Amino acid sequence: MIFGYCRISTAKQNIERQIRNILSAYPEAKIVTEIYTGTKFQGRKELDKVIRIIQPGDTIIFDSVSRMSRNAEEGFDLYEFLFKKGVNLVFLKEAHINTDTYKHSMESQLQIAFNSKDADMDRLMQGIVDVLNTYILSLARKQIKLAFEQSEKEVRDLQQRTREGIETARRNGRQPGRKNGISVKTKKSLTAKPIILKHSKIFGGNLKNEEMAKLAGISLGSLKKYKKELVEEISASSYDEVQQKYN
């Protein structure tokens, strides 16, 4: 089985990018999605389900190591558990910490057949493999920590650039936000605008603002905002087109 695990931390984030990236690389992957705001992988319901049924030789794909856990220590605990269970872990953005990287490293260092008929030799070889496994996992721990630190640095850098951009716009007398004439569709606006088109006096209706706001279940401030947006939309196209859009 090949699983693609996609996680977002808040409902406002878009999970489609992760799904698209995983399916582009592994079209046969079974996608598992989750919105999770905690800090430990044990608390993730959907990931727990995968962990319970995963078998040696199965694969879990993550868009990034940051989707596996919130921090390096907890991420490595899960990594180590699945590595020892024989599960393949793939990180699209950090391929250098894929489990295959470490397995191939071990195989290239030790090409010795077991079942030599010599019990002492077999024990020695098994001891060598165990030491190599420990070394490989120690290396993985360091690499995963570096991957998390890099991911966290990128987030901090983006936040810093955003703050600097806002400050630059403010100093130049520009107010950050949407451009004039651009409206954002919301459930409330899609419900309220048809009522405004039908009953507002500026569109041929006969209700006062207070009556219309109460009918639409919105504040007077929202009413004013939606009326302005409707006027701009009609100016850009036509009344009939806008009416058809909201009916």
Side-chain angles (χ1 to χ4, degrees), residues 171-205:
R171 289 176 178 272
N172 290 334
R174 299 195 305 272
Q175 179 64 34
R178 298 193 304 272
K179 294 181 179 179
N180 291 335
I182 295 179
S183 61
V184 176
K185 291 183 180 179
T186 64
K187 185 176 180 180
K188 184 178 291 186
S189 71
L190 292 175
T191 302
K193 284 184 177 181
I195 296 173
I196 297 171
L197 277 172
K198 183 177 181 180
H199 298 289
S200 175
K201 290 184 178 180
I202 64 172
F203 300 126

mmCIF file of all heavy atoms in Angstrom, residues 171-205:
data_model
loop_
_atom_site.group_PDB
_atom_site.id
_atom_site.type_symbol
_atom_site.label_atom_id
_atom_site.label_comp_id
_atom_site.label_asym_id
_atom_site.label_seq_id
_atom_site.Cartn_x
_atom_site.Cartn_y
_atom_site.Cartn_z
ATOM 1 N N ARG A 171 4.774 53.179 4.782
ATOM 2 C CA ARG A 171 5.631 54.364 4.683
ATOM 3 C C ARG A 171 5.435 55.106 3.357
ATOM 4 O O ARG A 171 5.635 56.309 3.281
ATOM 5 C CB ARG A 171 7.106 53.961 4.836
ATOM 6 C CG ARG A 171 7.486 53.549 6.248
ATOM 7 C CD ARG A 171 8.928 53.074 6.313
ATOM 8 N NE ARG A 171 9.311 52.714 7.660
ATOM 9 C CZ ARG A 171 9.814 53.553 8.563
ATOM 10 N NH1 ARG A 171 9.983 54.831 8.218
ATOM 11 N NH2 ARG A 171 10.136 53.145 9.769
ATOM 12 N N ASN A 172 5.034 54.347 2.323
ATOM 13 C CA ASN A 172 4.800 54.969 1.015
ATOM 14 C C ASN A 172 3.370 55.444 0.851
ATOM 15 O O ASN A 172 2.947 55.829 -0.243
ATOM 16 C CB ASN A 172 5.147 53.986 -0.102
ATOM 17 C CG ASN A 172 6.640 53.730 -0.204
ATOM 18 O OD1 ASN A 172 7.459 54.573 0.180
ATOM 19 N ND2 ASN A 172 7.017 52.567 -0.712
ATOM 20 N N GLY A 173 2.603 55.380 1.948
ATOM 21 C CA GLY A 173 1.246 55.897 1.912
ATOM 22 C C GLY A 173 0.229 54.962 1.314
ATOM 23 O O GLY A 173 -0.877 55.380 0.967
ATOM 24 N N ARG A 174 0.578 53.658 1.185
ATOM 25 C CA ARG A 174 -0.368 52.690 0.640
ATOM 26 C C ARG A 174 -0.893 51.815 1.759
ATOM 27 O O ARG A 174 -0.162 51.422 2.656
ATOM 28 C CB ARG A 174 0.297 51.803 -0.429
ATOM 29 C CG ARG A 174 0.818 52.570 -1.617
ATOM 30 C CD ARG A 174 1.125 51.623 -2.770
ATOM 31 N NE ARG A 174 2.044 50.560 -2.386
ATOM 32 C CZ ARG A 174 3.359 50.654 -2.448
ATOM 33 N NH1 ARG A 174 3.910 51.778 -2.868
ATOM 34 N NH2 ARG A 174 4.124 49.644 -2.110
ATOM 35 N N GLN A 175 -2.155 51.498 1.687
ATOM 36 C CA GLN A 175 -2.789 50.648 2.683
ATOM 37 C C GLN A 175 -2.812 49.213 2.164
ATOM 38 O O GLN A 175 -3.462 48.930 1.163
ATOM 39 C CB GLN A 175 -4.227 51.107 2.960
ATOM 40 C CG GLN A 175 -4.972 50.253 3.984
ATOM 41 C CD GLN A 175 -4.326 50.329 5.358
ATOM 42 O OE1 GLN A 175 -3.793 51.349 5.747
ATOM 43 N NE2 GLN A 175 -4.372 49.226 6.085
ATOM 44 N N PRO A 176 -2.077 48.290 2.795
ATOM 45 C CA PRO A 176 -2.093 46.906 2.327
ATOM 46 C C PRO A 176 -3.497 46.328 2.362
ATOM 47 O O PRO A 176 -4.288 46.636 3.261
ATOM 48 C CB PRO A 176 -1.187 46.189 3.343
ATOM 49 C CG PRO A 176 -0.344 47.276 3.924
ATOM 50 C CD PRO A 176 -1.222 48.486 3.955
ATOM 51 N N GLY A 177 -3.807 45.478 1.397
ATOM 52 C CA GLY A 177 -5.136 44.867 1.362
ATOM 53 C C GLY A 177 -5.581 44.643 -0.060
ATOM 54 O O GLY A 177 -4.773 44.654 -0.992
ATOM 55 N N ARG A 178 -6.866 44.457 -0.281
ATOM 56 C CA ARG A 178 -7.378 44.207 -1.612
ATOM 57 C C ARG A 178 -7.403 45.481 -2.437
ATOM 58 O O ARG A 178 -7.591 46.582 -1.927
ATOM 59 C CB ARG A 178 -8.800 43.631 -1.539
ATOM 60 C CG ARG A 178 -8.884 42.312 -0.827
ATOM 61 C CD ARG A 178 -10.239 41.682 -1.099
ATOM 62 N NE ARG A 178 -11.348 42.541 -0.738
ATOM 63 C CZ ARG A 178 -11.890 42.564 0.470
ATOM 64 N NH1 ARG A 178 -11.397 41.812 1.435
ATOM 65 N NH2 ARG A 178 -12.925 43.343 0.727
ATOM 66 N N LYS A 179 -7.236 45.304 -3.732
ATOM 67 C CA LYS A 179 -7.349 46.442 -4.647
ATOM 68 C C LYS A 179 -8.794 46.899 -4.720
ATOM 69 O O LYS A 179 -9.709 46.121 -4.523
ATOM 70 C CB LYS A 179 -6.864 46.031 -6.046
ATOM 71 C CG LYS A 179 -5.384 45.715 -6.108
ATOM 72 C CD LYS A 179 -4.989 45.354 -7.523
ATOM 73 C CE LYS A 179 -3.498 45.060 -7.599
ATOM 74 N NZ LYS A 179 -3.096 44.681 -8.981
ATOM 75 N N ASN A 180 -8.969 48.177 -5.018
ATOM 76 C CA ASN A 180 -10.315 48.710 -5.163
ATOM 77 C C ASN A 180 -11.068 47.965 -6.252
ATOM 78 O O ASN A 180 -10.523 47.651 -7.304
ATOM 79 C CB ASN A 180 -10.267 50.209 -5.512
ATOM 80 C CG ASN A 180 -9.757 51.035 -4.343
ATOM 81 O OD1 ASN A 180 -9.875 50.608 -3.197
ATOM 82 N ND2 ASN A 180 -9.190 52.188 -4.634
ATOM 83 N N GLY A 181 -12.349 47.721 -5.995
ATOM 84 C CA GLY A 181 -13.170 47.052 -6.989
ATOM 85 C C GLY A 181 -13.149 45.548 -6.897
ATOM 86 O O GLY A 181 -13.870 44.873 -7.610
ATOM 87 N N ILE A 182 -12.284 44.975 -6.027
ATOM 88 C CA ILE A 182 -12.212 43.534 -5.887
ATOM 89 C C ILE A 182 -12.993 43.113 -4.655
ATOM 90 O O ILE A 182 -12.748 43.592 -3.553
ATOM 91 C CB ILE A 182 -10.752 43.066 -5.754
ATOM 92 C CG1 ILE A 182 -9.990 43.367 -7.040
ATOM 93 C CG2 ILE A 182 -10.695 41.576 -5.443
ATOM 94 C CD1 ILE A 182 -8.538 42.965 -7.006
ATOM 95 N N SER A 183 -13.950 42.237 -4.828
ATOM 96 C CA SER A 183 -14.747 41.762 -3.695
ATOM 97 C C SER A 183 -14.470 40.295 -3.454
ATOM 98 O O SER A 183 -14.077 39.566 -4.362
ATOM 99 C CB SER A 183 -16.249 41.970 -3.975
ATOM 100 O OG SER A 183 -16.639 41.230 -5.113
ATOM 101 N N VAL A 184 -14.654 39.862 -2.241
ATOM 102 C CA VAL A 184 -14.443 38.477 -1.865
ATOM 103 C C VAL A 184 -15.783 37.818 -1.615
ATOM 104 O O VAL A 184 -16.607 38.329 -0.861
ATOM 105 C CB VAL A 184 -13.571 38.384 -0.592
ATOM 106 C CG1 VAL A 184 -13.445 36.929 -0.156
ATOM 107 C CG2 VAL A 184 -12.194 38.983 -0.854
ATOM 108 N N LYS A 185 -16.020 36.694 -2.269
ATOM 109 C CA LYS A 185 -17.278 35.988 -2.089
ATOM 110 C C LYS A 185 -17.284 35.257 -0.757
ATOM 111 O O LYS A 185 -16.362 34.529 -0.435
ATOM 112 C CB LYS A 185 -17.490 34.978 -3.222
ATOM 113 C CG LYS A 185 -17.742 35.607 -4.575
ATOM 114 C CD LYS A 185 -18.005 34.527 -5.612
ATOM 115 C CE LYS A 185 -18.257 35.129 -6.977
ATOM 116 N NZ LYS A 185 -18.482 34.085 -8.013
ATOM 117 N N THR A 186 -18.333 35.496 0.032
ATOM 118 C CA THR A 186 -18.535 34.772 1.274
ATOM 119 C C THR A 186 -19.955 34.239 1.283
ATOM 120 O O THR A 186 -20.796 34.661 0.489
ATOM 121 C CB THR A 186 -18.326 35.696 2.495
ATOM 122 O OG1 THR A 186 -19.338 36.716 2.463
ATOM 123 C CG2 THR A 186 -16.939 36.338 2.475
ATOM 124 N N LYS A 187 -20.201 33.303 2.166
ATOM 125 C CA LYS A 187 -21.540 32.741 2.254
ATOM 126 C C LYS A 187 -22.557 33.831 2.568
ATOM 127 O O LYS A 187 -23.663 33.862 2.008
ATOM 128 C CB LYS A 187 -21.570 31.656 3.332
ATOM 129 C CG LYS A 187 -22.879 30.912 3.431
ATOM 130 C CD LYS A 187 -22.792 29.803 4.450
ATOM 131 C CE LYS A 187 -24.118 29.050 4.539
ATOM 132 N NZ LYS A 187 -24.065 27.943 5.543
ATOM 133 N N LYS A 188 -22.181 34.754 3.442
ATOM 134 C CA LYS A 188 -23.093 35.834 3.832
ATOM 135 C C LYS A 188 -23.356 36.775 2.662
ATOM 136 O O LYS A 188 -24.496 37.190 2.430
ATOM 137 C CB LYS A 188 -22.511 36.604 5.019
ATOM 138 C CG LYS A 188 -23.441 37.687 5.544
ATOM 139 C CD LYS A 188 -22.848 38.388 6.762
ATOM 140 C CE LYS A 188 -22.791 37.468 7.966
ATOM 141 N NZ LYS A 188 -22.354 38.180 9.178
ATOM 142 N N SER A 189 -22.292 37.099 1.904
ATOM 143 C CA SER A 189 -22.487 38.023 0.780
ATOM 144 C C SER A 189 -23.333 37.391 -0.313
ATOM 145 O O SER A 189 -24.160 38.060 -0.946
ATOM 146 C CB SER A 189 -21.138 38.466 0.209
ATOM 147 O OG SER A 189 -20.495 37.419 -0.483
ATOM 148 N N LEU A 190 -23.151 36.102 -0.552
ATOM 149 C CA LEU A 190 -23.936 35.422 -1.585
ATOM 150 C C LEU A 190 -25.411 35.333 -1.214
ATOM 151 O O LEU A 190 -26.277 35.267 -2.083
ATOM 152 C CB LEU A 190 -23.373 34.009 -1.811
ATOM 153 C CG LEU A 190 -21.984 33.953 -2.457
ATOM 154 C CD1 LEU A 190 -21.476 32.517 -2.509
ATOM 155 C CD2 LEU A 190 -22.012 34.553 -3.855
ATOM 156 N N THR A 191 -25.691 35.344 0.082
ATOM 157 C CA THR A 191 -27.084 35.337 0.548
ATOM 158 C C THR A 191 -27.681 36.736 0.543
ATOM 159 O O THR A 191 -28.848 36.929 0.185
ATOM 160 C CB THR A 191 -27.167 34.748 1.971
ATOM 161 O OG1 THR A 191 -26.632 33.417 1.960
ATOM 162 C CG2 THR A 191 -28.599 34.699 2.464
ATOM 163 N N ALA A 192 -26.858 37.709 0.943
ATOM 164 C CA ALA A 192 -27.360 39.070 1.107
ATOM 165 C C ALA A 192 -27.505 39.835 -0.213
ATOM 166 O O ALA A 192 -28.456 40.617 -0.386
ATOM 167 C CB ALA A 192 -26.452 39.842 2.058
ATOM 168 N N LYS A 193 -26.613 39.629 -1.155
ATOM 169 C CA LYS A 193 -26.624 40.437 -2.366
ATOM 170 C C LYS A 193 -27.885 40.266 -3.215
ATOM 171 O O LYS A 193 -28.388 41.265 -3.758
ATOM 172 C CB LYS A 193 -25.356 40.171 -3.184
ATOM 173 C CG LYS A 193 -24.125 40.851 -2.580
ATOM 174 C CD LYS A 193 -22.893 40.674 -3.435
ATOM 175 C CE LYS A 193 -21.709 41.430 -2.837
ATOM 176 N NZ LYS A 193 -20.481 41.297 -3.647
ATOM 177 N N PRO A 194 -28.443 39.064 -3.375
ATOM 178 C CA PRO A 194 -29.708 38.964 -4.114
ATOM 179 C C PRO A 194 -30.838 39.762 -3.460
ATOM 180 O O PRO A 194 -31.676 40.355 -4.148
ATOM 181 C CB PRO A 194 -30.010 37.462 -4.088
ATOM 182 C CG PRO A 194 -28.690 36.806 -3.912
ATOM 183 C CD PRO A 194 -27.920 37.720 -3.025
ATOM 184 N N ILE A 195 -30.844 39.800 -2.113
ATOM 185 C CA ILE A 195 -31.860 40.573 -1.387
ATOM 186 C C ILE A 195 -31.668 42.065 -1.631
ATOM 187 O O ILE A 195 -32.631 42.804 -1.856
ATOM 188 C CB ILE A 195 -31.783 40.253 0.121
ATOM 189 C CG1 ILE A 195 -32.127 38.772 0.350
ATOM 190 C CG2 ILE A 195 -32.712 41.155 0.927
ATOM 191 C CD1 ILE A 195 -31.927 38.311 1.783
ATOM 192 N N ILE A 196 -30.408 42.485 -1.630
ATOM 193 C CA ILE A 196 -30.109 43.898 -1.872
ATOM 194 C C ILE A 196 -30.506 44.296 -3.293
ATOM 195 O O ILE A 196 -31.101 45.358 -3.522
ATOM 196 C CB ILE A 196 -28.612 44.178 -1.627
ATOM 197 C CG1 ILE A 196 -28.255 43.901 -0.161
ATOM 198 C CG2 ILE A 196 -28.251 45.620 -1.995
ATOM 199 C CD1 ILE A 196 -26.779 43.931 0.139
ATOM 200 N N LEU A 197 -30.196 43.442 -4.265
ATOM 201 C CA LEU A 197 -30.553 43.730 -5.655
ATOM 202 C C LEU A 197 -32.063 43.870 -5.831
ATOM 203 O O LEU A 197 -32.540 44.688 -6.610
ATOM 204 C CB LEU A 197 -30.033 42.609 -6.564
ATOM 205 C CG LEU A 197 -28.572 42.681 -7.005
ATOM 206 C CD1 LEU A 197 -28.181 41.397 -7.719
ATOM 207 C CD2 LEU A 197 -28.336 43.886 -7.910
ATOM 208 N N LYS A 198 -32.804 43.072 -5.081
ATOM 209 C CA LYS A 198 -34.254 43.065 -5.237
ATOM 210 C C LYS A 198 -34.932 44.210 -4.500
ATOM 211 O O LYS A 198 -35.915 44.781 -4.993
ATOM 212 C CB LYS A 198 -34.815 41.735 -4.748
ATOM 213 C CG LYS A 198 -36.327 41.596 -4.938
ATOM 214 C CD LYS A 198 -36.804 40.219 -4.492
ATOM 215 C CE LYS A 198 -38.317 40.078 -4.696
ATOM 216 N NZ LYS A 198 -38.792 38.736 -4.269
ATOM 217 N N HIS A 199 -34.432 44.581 -3.318
ATOM 218 C CA HIS A 199 -35.160 45.506 -2.456
ATOM 219 C C HIS A 199 -34.522 46.873 -2.262
ATOM 220 O O HIS A 199 -35.171 47.791 -1.747
ATOM 221 C CB HIS A 199 -35.374 44.872 -1.080
ATOM 222 C CG HIS A 199 -36.193 43.614 -1.129
ATOM 223 N ND1 HIS A 199 -37.540 43.629 -1.390
ATOM 224 C CD2 HIS A 199 -35.848 42.312 -0.945
ATOM 225 C CE1 HIS A 199 -38.005 42.384 -1.349
ATOM 226 N NE2 HIS A 199 -37.000 41.571 -1.081
ATOM 227 N N SER A 200 -33.252 47.034 -2.643
ATOM 228 C CA SER A 200 -32.609 48.335 -2.437
ATOM 229 C C SER A 200 -33.186 49.382 -3.377
ATOM 230 O O SER A 200 -33.439 49.117 -4.557
ATOM 231 C CB SER A 200 -31.100 48.225 -2.669
ATOM 232 O OG SER A 200 -30.497 49.500 -2.573
ATOM 233 N N LYS A 201 -33.383 50.594 -2.867
ATOM 234 C CA LYS A 201 -33.964 51.674 -3.674
ATOM 235 C C LYS A 201 -33.090 52.046 -4.856
ATOM 236 O O LYS A 201 -33.599 52.445 -5.906
ATOM 237 C CB LYS A 201 -34.205 52.901 -2.793
ATOM 238 C CG LYS A 201 -35.333 52.714 -1.788
ATOM 239 C CD LYS A 201 -35.588 53.986 -1.000
ATOM 240 C CE LYS A 201 -36.765 53.803 -0.031
ATOM 241 N NZ LYS A 201 -37.050 55.020 0.750
ATOM 242 N N ILE A 202 -31.763 51.903 -4.715
ATOM 243 C CA ILE A 202 -30.887 52.278 -5.826
ATOM 244 C C ILE A 202 -30.978 51.275 -6.978
ATOM 245 O O ILE A 202 -30.538 51.545 -8.089
ATOM 246 C CB ILE A 202 -29.414 52.415 -5.370
ATOM 247 C CG1 ILE A 202 -28.864 51.074 -4.884
ATOM 248 C CG2 ILE A 202 -29.261 53.468 -4.317
ATOM 249 C CD1 ILE A 202 -27.367 51.101 -4.607
ATOM 250 N N PHE A 203 -31.584 50.091 -6.699
ATOM 251 C CA PHE A 203 -31.761 49.096 -7.756
ATOM 252 C C PHE A 203 -33.241 48.900 -8.094
ATOM 253 O O PHE A 203 -33.623 47.900 -8.684
ATOM 254 C CB PHE A 203 -31.132 47.759 -7.333
ATOM 255 C CG PHE A 203 -29.665 47.820 -7.054
ATOM 256 C CD1 PHE A 203 -29.153 47.381 -5.852
ATOM 257 C CD2 PHE A 203 -28.787 48.359 -7.993
ATOM 258 C CE1 PHE A 203 -27.798 47.446 -5.584
ATOM 259 C CE2 PHE A 203 -27.440 48.426 -7.743
ATOM 260 C CZ PHE A 203 -26.924 47.979 -6.520
ATOM 261 N N GLY A 204 -34.079 49.870 -7.679
ATOM 262 C CA GLY A 204 -35.493 49.808 -8.029
ATOM 263 C C GLY A 204 -36.392 49.228 -6.967
ATOM 264 O O GLY A 204 -37.605 49.074 -7.190
ATOM 265 N N GLY A 205 -35.856 48.916 -5.779
ATOM 266 C CA GLY A 205 -36.667 48.383 -4.691
ATOM 267 C C GLY A 205 -37.291 49.497 -3.870
ATOM 268 O O GLY A 205 -37.216 50.679 -4.225
#
